[in-house]
Every structure is written in C-alpha cells, then in structure tokens.
Amino acid sequence: MKAGSNLEKVLEAGKFAVTAEIGPPQSSNPEPLTHHARMMKGSADAFNLTDNQTAVVRLSSIASAAIIMREDIEPVIQMTCRDRNRIALQSDLLGASAIGVKNVLCLTGDHQTFGNERAAKSVFDFDSVSELYTFDKLRTEGLQSGGTVIDDKPELYLGCAENPFATPYEFRATRLAKKVDSGADFVQTQAIFDMDMFEKWMDEVRSRGLDKKTHILAGVIPMKTAGAARYMKNKVPGMIVPDYIIERMRNASDAKEEGIRLCVEQIETLKTIKGVHGVHVMAVMWEEMVPRIVEMAGLLPRPTVK
Amino acid sequence: MIIAERKPLGEIAMMVAPHEKVTVIGCRSCVAICLAGGEKEVDTLVSAMKLKSMNEGRTQYFDGFVLERQCEKEWVKEVEDKILAADVVLSMSCSLGAQTIGDLYPEKIVVPGLNTAMFGVPEEQGVWSEKCLGCGDCIIHTTGGICPIARCAKSMLNGPCGGSSNGHCEVNLEIECAWYAIYERLKLQDRLDLMDTVRPPKEWSTSHSGGRRVIVREDAKLTPHQIRGKEASL
Amino acid sequence: MPDREPKIVGFCCEKHGIDSVDLAARSGRQYDSSIRLVRVPCTGRVDGTHLLKALEEGADAVFVLGCLEKNCYYDTGSIEGRKRVAYVKSMLSEVGIEPERVEMFNASSSMSWKFSEIASNMVKVAARLGPIGSRGGGR
C-alpha cells in the first residue's frame, strides 16, 4: 500500500472501482459540498474535487476535500499546474497530506482563456508529467524538486488524466506510458462516447502492458439534452461524440432519462473491456444522479476492503 | 525577430496630449519588417496625428525620423538634436528602442507608440507568429526544431495536452498544436523515440524567472585603455 | 465657417481609371472644378501616406479610382488600393475624423457615366463635412 486510501484498497484488491466528481461552489459557502457529499455518500469509492475547473474561480479543491472529509467520504484532490508553480504545488501537496488527503490527481489544467479570469498570468511551471514525477519523488524519496530531502514523506496515491480522443491519436498510449513511468497509480480518462475508438486505445494500452502497471478508470458523462451532446462534440476541444449518440438523445421522448440510460449502457460496456478497472462519473451540475446511475449499472453496494 | 504592433491612435494621442513638440522616431530593423514602425508607418502616424490636432484646432508639432536600429546607442545619437528639441519622444520602435532613448536621455519623456508583442517570424505577408520565449535554455534539437515553450500555450514538455483537437490548439482552434506539429516532424525524421522520453521539470532559472538577465563577454568588452582611446578620438 | 470651395483630390490609375475620366470628358460630361486629379501608375502604388498627406495639405476629401477588381490592368493593384483605403479609413476613425472623407472607386474605361457620379458624390461629401477642423472636431 502506498497511501492506504479506500480507492487504492479497492483497486489493489482487483475490484471494479467507481469515482465521481464534485464541483466546488463559486462562493465560500460550504453547504453545496456538504449536500453533495451526503447525497452521494456510498455511491463511489472516492470523490474528485475539481481544481478551478475550466479556469473558473471556485472554492479550492483542498479546502473542499477537508469539508467533505467531515462527512466521512474520501476525496481525490485535483491539482492543476495552471495556477501554481513548483513551490506552491509542493507546499499545497504537503498541506493536503497533512490534513489527511491521500488521493491526488495530477493535471496540467485547462488554459485560463476558458474561464472567468482571462487577464491572469499563467504559470505552467510544470506540466502534468513533471508534476507526477516530482510528487512521486516526494513520496518515495522525500525529495523535493529543488533537491531538499524531507523526513516525513507524504503518503500519496497518485493519479492522472488521459484523453484517448485528442490528437495525435497514435501518441495517446505513449503519453499514458510517460505518466505511468512518472508514477501514476491510476488514470481517469476523458469522457468516452466513441467506444470503438476507446477500444482501439485500450488495445494499444494493453499491448504495452500499461493496464498491468496502472489502474484505468474510464470516464463517463451523463447528458441531459441533445444540445449538451452537440455542444461537447462541437465546442469542447479533444472530445468526440458520435452522431448516433446525438441522434438518440434528440429522438428520445424524455432526454434526461435517455441520458441516464445511455450512461448506464456505456458503463456496462466499459465493464467488459479488458484492462478497465473502474469508471469515473462526471455528472457536471447533475451530481444527484450519480447514486442512481451507479445503482442501475449494478455497481452497488460499493465494496469494503480492509 | 521582435514583432510589435502599433498602439491604437487614441492611446498614442493621449500619451502625447500634454506636449507640444513631438518627435516621432521609428526603426528600420524588426519593426519595419513587421510593418509597425518603419518609414511608412512613421509617415502615416505623423500625418494622422497632425490631422487629429488640426481637427481639434490645437497646435502640436510632429516631426518624424527613422533610425537604422533604435536599440543601439550609436544610431540613436544621430538624432540627438531632434530628441533634445522635443517635449516628448514618441518611439515607434520596440520597447528596446524606446528604452535606449530613455536611458541615453533620462530627462526626456519617452512614450511607446508600439506594443512589443513577441519573438516571432513573418509567416506570410501580414501574418506574424510567436516562436520563441527566450527561456535561455534551447531544447529544439529534441523537439524536431519546434519550440514547445513558445508554441504551446501551456509550455508543455511531454507531449500534447488533452485539448489537442485535429492538430489544433484548444486555446485557439485556428492555431496548430505545437506538440502535434512536433510529433509529425519527428515522425517524418524517424525520431519518434524522442516523444517517449519523460522530460523532468524544466530549469526556468535561465529565463526571466531567474531575474533580469545580463550577458557579459569579457573577451568582447573594451579594456579601460581602449575606452580611453575611443574617447580621445571623439 | 468661411465660404470656401471644397477641395478634393483623386488618385487615378493611368489605366482604366484615367481612361474612364477621358471618356467622360469626351462624351461631354463635366465634373466639378474642385477636383484635382493625380495620375498614378496603379492604385496599388497608392500608399496610406499619400492619402493622409493630401488631407494634411488641405484636401477635404480624397478618393482613389482604379480598375475594376476583376479586370485590373496589373491584376491585383486595385485590390491593394482598396485595402489601403480601408486602412486609412480606420486610422481616421481612430483620430476622430470622418472616414467617409476617403473612398475607393472602381471603373472600367468604358464607364463614361461613372466618373461624374463619383465626382458629384465626393463634392457632396466635402461640402457636407467642410474642411477638417472647421467644426471644432473632437473638442
């Protein structure tokens, strides 16, 4: 065990894991976090707290983690390289570890031109690979990036993201390999709509033996409307949504129900793909649906691993 | 070269508004190539500013000159009398030229007519693009000759981020993804193994992050003896 | 405002531009004496500086007359001319001067009516706007 988090225990025990995302609020009111935590408790093994997602200022992911931990649920903190240099990243990592956070997702981060602070100076001192590399050295050797060696090493379970649908496609498994080499224990993928393409990526991943070295959690997003599907297809760079999915959403008499059904079907398919060790449910602004989706996909109750 | 862009005329007018005698100084180097501060641009700017004061019925004098290279003291000294005669100097060079004038004549007010934008190249007529950030530690021999520090919006070192869409950058879908371009270039050169290497955190201390940079070449510097000789010959 | 004849300068290319003026004259069409024409080899040769200088020297309005874009003697000259006129117009707007003081026109050598139309339009514009600065401008 590297950190002994619940997520680590579930994955290392070979169980099919479930993680879900919670978006922190834009204000300092912790109530929405507590609300979501209570509502989603028991429906996933750990919950991602996004780090100023799409570069919109929100309550910090580490503070959010502290808040949901009061509800006795396990956080995965997301840490992007967009807003913090290596001093701040390492400092925040030590701080997060000190308050009991174990799961950390290393991300480069969405560029700030997408958010509500476009005048910001970008940092990008690290990219996600150098972040993983540094955090891994810190947990294994107590070595900071500047060379200082610390006594009490943080106990961390490190994750990363990967997008099989970004170009160049044939490089995407190599990129995952770099992240695995740098210390990624688990990976949460970009939302998958194009199963054929995902399977192709998984073939490449398996042929390199990456599924044996890291745990792949396949990302899914339940959609509320056909418009949302079209938006993701056309407006979100690096996302592929096949037309038949948009069609299906459009022809549905109840789009929300169809979105849920689609998501459950996707999870069913993903469960059968060799090397996929779990799913990551990103129900953006629709967190209340997570317990239902997980239940319909036959993934409840969540396992307890000692 | 250095790429610059003229400031909006309204902003320029505001900067020179309190002054009567305005000396406009352009530069024949980079900013002439990028059509921002060469001969023609100085001419049109002077005309436009004259028209503006004419239209507003005020007396303001504009006089334009163009130097070979405004960032070098020797060239700037050629128009010393014009600088000294002015109430304000409007530099139509990159900020380096403007600062050279300011450093030589500290009592003079120098205002920038251009926004210095980047180190870049002319891609085609009328299009300039950024290609270097001056990080002080060039690595393009490992990236197919394409700089990811300047050409990737996130200065990534280990391949394209998840926003690389059909070879384009998530920040601006009109712009190529630098890492996509690097991948294609290395594939062409049969050196894709370079894409596999994990690049550890970059040493940014050679960049501006390490503080303002000054490069000294002792062999090139003049000795006190040479300086005395130069002064004597003037 | 003192009564004053409007002053208009036209830059005409020496191909279709000037030919259309000649044809207008030969067909007995008159144009206002306030218009001074400057022959240029091609409107692609006209620079922003020329247009601004003309205004600076007292012209109330300036126009450029070139070949039709699809039938330009030098292929793309009148396109260049159009782009420069547009640029000068944007500069004028930025300094608070009416951009309609500068216009681009195109004609073929056989369009005898075109020039008198251009001339009377520009005279109207110049008369309406008056000399630069005559109305207190941006103040």
Side-chain angles (χ1 to χ4, degrees):
Chain A
M1 281 291 136
K2 287 175 173 165
S5 70
N6 183 52
L7 178 64
E8 180 178 10
K9 286 179 195 159
V10 169
L11 284 168
E12 299 304 326
K15 311 275 186 202
F16 194 81
V18 177
T19 52
E21 207 156 278
I22 301 178
Q26 282 182 266
S27 75
S28 59
N29 180 7
E31 215 286 313
L33 284 164
T34 313
H35 167 77
H36 283 136
R38 285 178 188 157
M39 193 183 65
M40 290 159 84
K41 188 171 180 173
S43 61
D45 306 311
F47 295 84
N48 280 41
L49 280 325
T50 53
D51 178 9
N52 300 301
Q53 196 175 15
T54 64
V56 170
V57 179
R58 290 175 182 277
L59 204 155
S60 90
S61 62
I62 297 172
S64 298
I67 291 159
I68 68 157
M69 279 158 73
R70 289 189 213 143
E71 302 302 319
D72 202 25
I73 77 168
E74 184 172 291
V76 177
I77 55 160
Q78 302 197 172
M79 289 184 86
T80 73
C81 303
R82 177 190 58 229
D83 315 317
R84 282 170 290 199
N85 67 7
R86 63 191 75 184
I87 301 172
L89 280 171
Q90 293 180 101
S91 160
D92 278 354
L93 183 79
L94 296 177
S97 176
I99 61 168
V101 172
K102 293 187 164 83
N103 309 311
V104 177
L105 192 79
C106 297
L107 304 165
T108 303
D110 296 322
H111 196 271
Q112 67 269 18
T113 48
F114 292 102
N116 59 357
E117 292 286 355
R118 292 171 184 216
K121 183 173 194 290
S122 65
V123 180
F124 299 116
D125 179 12
F126 280 1
D127 62 12
S128 53
V129 176
S130 21
E131 183 187 13
L132 276 165
Y133 178 94
T134 303
F135 288 180
D136 186 49
K137 289 265 184 269
L138 208 47
R139 71 171 167 177
T140 53
E141 301 166 29
L143 177 67
Q144 294 182 352
S145 62
T148 301
V149 178
I150 54 172
D151 291 334
D152 299 305
K153 295 175 273 195
E155 289 179 350
L156 305 167
Y157 196 53
L158 295 177
C160 66
E162 189 47 59
N163 182 3
F165 311 105
T167 49
Y169 306 124
E170 61 270 36
F171 175 66
R172 288 293 150 181
T174 311
R175 187 159 158 78
L176 178 62
K178 290 174 85 161
K179 290 178 175 178
V180 172
D181 284 348
S182 303
D185 302 310
F186 67 98
V187 47
Q188 294 170 326
T189 76
Q190 169 69 290
I192 300 152
F193 292 102
D194 189 329
M195 282 297 162
D196 295 340
M197 216 168 144
F198 179 68
E199 295 230 36
K200 253 188 236 162
W201 180 74
M202 280 303 298
D203 282 345
E204 183 69 22
V205 165
R206 281 191 306 265
S207 76
R208 288 162 177 259
L210 294 174
D211 58 320
K212 302 272 191 295
K213 294 183 187 164
T214 194
H215 298 288
I216 293 159
L217 277 66
V220 289
I221 294 183
M223 292 177 291
K224 281 184 192 169
T225 61
R230 260 197 310 275
Y231 178 83
M232 284 191 274
K233 176 193 163 89
N234 298 323
K235 300 280 183 217
V236 183
M239 236 174 151
I240 293 180
V241 183
D243 287 333
Y244 72 84
I245 287 188
I246 300 172
E247 278 302 294
R248 201 175 136 180
M249 287 299 289
R250 198 172 50 207
N251 297 335
S253 53
D254 183 340
K256 286 184 178 179
E257 279 306 310
E258 192 66 20
I260 301 279
R261 262 198 301 278
L262 194 64
C263 184
V264 170
E265 284 170 29
Q266 284 160 346
I267 296 175
E268 301 281 5
T269 311
L270 291 165
K271 280 190 336 196
T272 65
I273 298 176
K274 197 168 165 267
V276 173
H277 295 177
V279 284
H280 176 54
V281 187
M282 295 169 272
V284 187
M285 312 286 281
W286 209 18
E287 282 93 344
E288 63 269 25
M289 281 302 129
V290 171
R292 214 181 124 203
I293 292 168
V294 177
E295 181 172 28
M296 284 170 76
L299 293 168
L300 284 186
R302 298 307 310 143
T304 323
V305 184
K306 285 280 167 260
Chain B
M1 65 185 196
I2 289 169
I3 310 294
E5 203 179 9
R6 196 196 72 223
K7 279 182 180 283
L9 296 174
E11 191 184 339
I12 295 178
M14 293 252 287
M15 292 188 292
V16 301
H19 311 283
E20 198 166 294
K21 280 188 279 177
V22 186
T23 292
V24 183
I25 308 182
C27 176
R28 285 200 184 88
S29 296
C30 315
V31 295
I33 309 298
C34 65
L35 309 181
E39 205 118 18
K40 272 189 185 176
E41 292 75 28
V42 167
D43 275 358
T44 44
L45 181 97
V46 165
S47 276
M49 297 318 279
K50 280 184 183 167
L51 284 169
K52 182 176 166 66
S53 7
M54 217 161 109
N55 195 36
E56 291 168 3
R58 67 170 287 193
T59 336
Q60 215 177 2
Y61 303 96
F62 291 89
D63 217 352
F65 306 93
V66 188
L67 303 179
E68 210 51 42
R69 233 191 321 281
Q70 205 178 116
C71 57
E72 290 193 62
K73 294 174 185 163
E74 290 78 1
W75 295 108
V76 172
K77 282 182 181 160
E78 285 196 340
V79 289
E80 183 167 86
D81 52 331
K82 317 290 180 197
I83 292 170
L84 294 175
D87 297 330
V88 66
V89 175
L90 171 60
S91 168
M92 291 288 282
S93 159
C94 68
S95 138
L96 307 177
Q99 293 187 54
T100 303
I101 298 176
D103 289 345
L104 275 175
Y105 306 100
E107 72 286 358
K108 280 291 152 194
I109 299 171
V110 182
V111 298
L114 307 185
N115 288 322
T116 307
M118 60 196 174
F119 295 157
V121 300
E123 294 289 356
E124 58 181 271
Q125 197 172 313
V127 179
W128 298 271
S129 77
E130 181 168 32
K131 291 205 170 156
C132 175
L133 272 189
C135 74
D137 181 20
C138 196
I139 54 151
I140 64 168
H141 56 296
T142 66
T143 54
I146 294 165
C147 174
I149 308 299
R151 288 163 75 167
C152 165
K154 303 177 187 172
S155 296
M156 295 184 65
L157 283 173
N158 287 287
C161 74
S164 176
S165 188
N166 294 319
H168 294 274
C169 174
E170 65 170 17
V171 173
N172 179 350
L173 291 172
E174 305 283 302
I175 290 177
E176 65 172 9
C177 162
W179 274 103
Y180 183 86
I182 291 169
Y183 183 87
E184 291 299 318
R185 180 81 60 85
L186 290 173
K187 189 158 81 178
L188 184 74
Q189 298 178 351
D190 200 20
R191 295 202 296 164
L192 273 180
D193 53 304
L194 284 167
M195 291 294 291
D196 301 346
T197 332
V198 171
R199 293 163 206 265
K202 182 175 167 63
E203 184 70 46
W204 287 105
S205 57
T206 54
S207 76
H208 177 70
S209 296
R212 183 190 172 199
R213 292 161 288 174
V214 176
I215 293 173
V216 180
R217 277 252 325 249
E218 289 300 339
D219 63 311
K221 278 177 77 177
L222 295 180
T223 64
H225 176 74
Q226 286 171 313
I227 293 170
R228 277 196 299 278
K230 228 184 158 185
E231 278 167 358
S233 71
L234 284 174
Chain C
M1 192 209 303
D3 273 332
R4 163 182 172 282
E5 280 286 301
K7 284 187 197 167
I8 296 153
V9 175
F11 293 88
C12 288
C13 82
E14 60 182 24
K15 300 299 174 191
H16 284 277
I18 268 303
D19 284 355
S20 73
V21 177
D22 282 349
L23 188 62
R26 275 188 276 120
S27 15
R29 293 170 195 267
Q30 307 230 320
Y31 68 87
D32 203 279
S33 61
S34 57
I35 295 178
R36 325 282 156 90
L37 292 182
V38 179
R39 272 171 87 113
V40 289
C42 171
T43 51
R45 177 62 188 90
V46 177
D47 195 78
T49 322
H50 302 131
L51 308 178
L52 290 165
K53 270 268 156 23
L55 293 173
E56 211 186 292
E57 298 294 329
D60 306 326
V62 179
F63 67 91
V64 177
L65 175 59
C67 309
L68 294 175
E69 285 190 10
K70 284 184 179 153
N71 195 24
C72 175
Y73 187 85
Y74 292 110
D75 200 21
T76 57
S78 47
I79 297 175
E80 287 302 331
R82 186 231 305 156
K83 291 194 290 186
R84 307 238 169 102
V85 167
Y87 186 69
V88 167
K89 277 171 165 286
S90 75
M91 285 184 94
L92 291 178
S93 305
E94 282 188 65
V95 295
I97 294 174
E98 304 82 356
E100 58 268 36
R101 288 183 188 273
V102 178
E103 294 295 349
M104 174 82 199
F105 299 103
N106 305 85
S108 82
S109 50
S110 59
M111 292 161 85
S112 62
W113 71 92
K114 183 78 187 188
F115 185 68
S116 18
E117 191 183 296
I118 294 169
S120 70
N121 274 341
M122 290 313 286
V123 170
K124 268 185 224 153
V125 169
R128 176 166 63 82
L129 298 176
I132 290 174
S134 60
R135 294 188 300 177
R139 279 207 288 190

